Amino acid sequence: MVSYLHNEEKGSDVNVATHLLVDVLQQDIDAAIVVSNDSDLKLPVREARSRVPVGVINPGPSQFAGDLKGKPTDGVGGHWWGRLTESQFRNHQLPDPVNAITKPNGW
């Protein structure tokens, strides 16, 4: 008997990378915060760092993806890294409801 867990995100990393680079290249932003621990974002994050300061937040408990690390002085500088804790997530929720939008049951 073998157990196998396979998590797949169906292109969300491509969407994050695309929007990050479009916003940076069109000079629509002065800085960026990427909430991900997906090493597939290594290249777009590195390219963004050459143009704007980038903060990267690991939303999970796992070790930080080494491919997303760099130095605070890379590119234009001012980059930083952090981890989103459960208490930060829980303590910074929007009110419920917001206009006509409500939280799903169990949140």
Side-chain angles (χ1 to χ4, degrees):
M1 171 87 56
V2 173
S3 294
Y4 177 73
L5 174 64
H6 179 73
N7 291 329
E8 190 172 337
E9 293 187 17
K10 304 292 182 202
S12 62
D13 55 340
V14 173
N15 292 333
V16 168
T18 300
H19 285 283
L20 173 65
L21 292 176
V22 166
D23 288 346
V24 168
L25 294 173
Q26 289 181 343
Q27 298 179 340
D28 289 337
I29 59 174
D30 297 322
I33 297 176
V34 177
V35 181
S36 178
N37 199 37
D38 188 338
S39 61
D40 288 345
L41 296 175
K42 174 185 178 178
L43 179 59
V45 167
R46 186 178 72 211
E47 289 301 317
R49 283 184 184 135
S50 70
R51 294 165 175 86
V52 298
V54 178
V56 179
I57 297 176
N58 177 354
S62 61
Q63 184 173 346
F64 218 101
D67 285 345
L68 293 179
K69 286 194 173 185
K71 293 181 282 189
T73 57
D74 286 345
V76 298
H79 315 296
W80 53 270
W81 297 260
R83 180 182 313 278
L84 180 65
T85 66
E86 180 180 348
S87 65
Q88 289 170 328
F89 177 78
R90 292 191 182 281
N91 292 329
H92 294 88
Q93 297 290 307
L94 292 171
D96 187 30
V98 174
N99 295 327
I101 301 171
T102 61
K103 292 181 185 179
N105 291 331
W107 273 34

